[in-house]
Amino acid sequence: MGLLWALRSKTPYKRLAKRNVLTPFCVDLEVYEGHGDTSRLLGKCTNERWFLGEGVKRISVREGRLRATLFLPPGPGPFPGLIDLYGSGGGLIEYRASLLASRGFVTLALAYMSFEDIPAMPKILELSYFEEAVNFLRKQQQVKDTGIGVLGLSKGGDLALSMATFLPGIKAAVSISGSSFNSFIPLKGDGFTIPVHPYDLGRMKISDESGIVDFSDVLDDHMDPATWDCRIPVEMSLAKFLFLSGLDDMNWKSDLYCQDAVQRLQQHNREVEFYSYAGAGHLLEPPYLPLCKVSIHKVLGMLVHWGGQWREHAKAQEDAWRRIQAFFWQHLMDSVIPKSKL
């Protein structure tokens, strides 16, 4: 238990023992609607200074179609630039972006579903919308001109892969509990559309007592060639990739989808990192936030089982947070993470 499986390009699986990791907080649990309103949660366990970080600036962005919030670290920079995407629960999720800004990243938290004039379930997502976000971030004076990074959780994970594959200027991408297939909503690019990974809601499992939904078997077998037109062709990308997944993910088989992408990248001699955590669930968040095993999905209106074991998930979040920062510092700044940012 508490062991980490690591896979680096051209190397076999390694088992890494984790030591000196803090145990999870003991908290009273409440159910919140998706991740749309974190003010209640943050108000219980922290304060605004922790949320924004010392000297971090928060700027609301409503430029063209963009619905986003920009977080700026203190100082003139230049800093590495990141785009931060959450999942299909929608909304504009800011807390991870603000924490990344406090660690020295100019970070744009970007909404793409269920926010203001953006529909809860768009009929199609346009890659050009995400390209607007990239161009907006690259224009910021504080952003270093060596390329943009993108990280995404769940549905945001497959969008991060698509951005790194099809959009110029993306140098590094992190997929957290994501899929290597386009999920739930067709993605329209310039002259192409990636269809949705086929699924059957008849395969979802609902607990008789609690009504909690397990979606882990809903998607069609990704090894079936009939699903391959939904694959995101990450092997076409020259970006660097980091994949993070939990082996107790009850939302979907993120570990298998990560392995699919890693194998394709390795076959094309692309650089890739992959870390899979025993006992970790779907919602791998910044460290010291409590495990959310179950919540109401804001768009679906269902009580969803996300998975995760308390101690193992807490350890995974701490390790993943460190790796995300180190990965972006390495590939966007060509340096190791400063000790002051750890």
Side-chain angles (χ1 to χ4, degrees):
M1 298 299 290
L3 294 176
L4 165 71
W5 288 94
L7 175 62
R8 289 183 179 273
S9 181
K10 300 183 180 179
T11 63
Y13 284 104
K14 298 179 181 178
R15 219 175 192 183
L16 304 180
K18 303 301 298 174
R19 295 193 179 102
N20 300 323
V21 181
L22 296 178
T23 58
F25 287 126
C26 180
V27 297
D28 293 327
L29 296 180
E30 295 186 25
V31 174
Y32 300 99
E33 291 190 0
H35 287 69
D37 179 10
T38 59
S39 59
R40 294 173 62 196
L41 171 60
L42 292 171
K44 287 178 178 289
C45 66
T46 186
N47 56 39
E48 186 174 349
R49 180 176 174 181
W50 182 91
F51 178 55
L52 284 177
E54 186 101 34
V56 171
K57 295 181 180 179
R58 177 186 181 278
I59 302 171
S60 181
V61 177
R62 301 295 185 272
E63 182 173 304
R65 294 185 294 172
L66 291 183
R67 301 293 178 264
T69 303
L70 181 67
F71 291 92
L72 301 175
F79 303 105
L82 301 179
I83 293 174
D84 188 18
L85 304 166
Y86 266 81
S88 60
L92 179 54
I93 315 304
E94 299 184 346
Y95 56 89
R96 186 171 63 192
S98 69
L99 289 171
L100 286 165
S102 74
R103 300 302 190 270
F105 298 94
V106 174
T107 310
L108 185 71
L110 182 64
Y112 61 91
M113 290 179 64
S114 191
F115 183 73
E116 294 183 351
D117 57 345
I118 303 176
M121 185 63 74
K123 294 182 179 179
I124 197 164
L125 291 175
E126 296 185 5
L127 201 57
S128 60
Y129 174 75
F130 301 94
E131 187 171 22
E132 288 178 24
V134 174
N135 293 336
F136 171 85
L137 194 55
R138 295 178 74 178
K139 290 190 300 183
Q140 305 307 307
Q141 293 183 349
Q142 299 96 324
V143 174
K144 189 173 175 64
D145 61 359
T146 52
I148 299 297
V150 58
L151 74 158
L153 170 70
S154 194
K155 170 61 185 175
D158 71 65
L159 286 172
L161 300 185
S162 292
M163 291 173 67
T165 299
F166 299 112
L167 299 184
I170 299 293
K171 192 174 180 181
V174 175
S175 172
I176 307 168
S177 304
S179 176
S180 55
F181 290 65
N182 184 57
S183 61
F184 305 127
I185 305 173
L187 181 65
K188 181 181 179 182
D190 185 9
F192 66 91
T193 298
I194 303 181
V196 171
H197 189 166
Y199 61 91
D200 180 1
L201 293 179
R203 292 196 292 262
M204 68 182 181
K205 293 168 281 188
I206 304 176
S207 170
D208 292 334
E209 295 182 359
S210 64
I212 296 173
V213 179
D214 179 345
F215 284 103
S216 58
D217 292 326
V218 164
L219 293 170
D220 287 5
D221 183 2
H222 73 289
M223 298 299 291
D224 184 347
T227 67
W228 290 355
D229 60 343
C230 313
R231 275 179 170 175
I232 301 164
V234 290
E235 62 273 13
M236 294 171 46
S237 175
L238 298 180
K240 311 300 183 185
F241 291 95
L242 169 62
F243 294 87
L244 302 165
S245 67
L247 291 176
D248 195 39
D249 187 340
M250 303 302 293
N251 181 66
W252 58 18
K253 297 178 174 65
S254 58
D255 189 69
L256 294 180
Y257 303 140
C258 287
Q259 290 183 42
D260 170 79
V262 167
Q263 290 169 4
R264 286 187 281 131
L265 285 162
Q266 289 182 326
Q267 289 170 0
H268 288 78
N269 298 312
R270 300 287 190 260
E271 187 172 339
V272 59
E273 295 180 47
F274 174 31
Y275 300 94
S276 185
Y277 299 94
H282 185 72
L283 298 178
L284 285 169
E285 297 278 21
Y288 318 126
L289 288 178
L291 166 64
C292 178
K293 298 188 73 165
V294 176
S295 71
I296 297 175
H297 191 286
K298 186 176 179 181
V299 172
L300 298 177
M302 297 179 177
L303 201 58
V304 177
H305 189 193
W306 305 111
Q309 305 302 314
W310 297 106
R311 183 181 298 271
E312 290 80 4
H313 192 90
K315 291 179 179 180
Q317 287 188 159
E318 189 174 18
D319 185 80
W321 184 244
R322 178 179 61 82
R323 292 187 185 279
I324 289 168
Q325 293 177 73
F327 175 79
F328 282 131
W329 275 101
Q330 177 185 354
H331 296 298
L332 300 181
M333 296 294 283
D334 298 319
S335 67
V336 296
I337 183 171
K339 291 184 179 180
S340 63
K341 303 298 183 184
L342 287 172

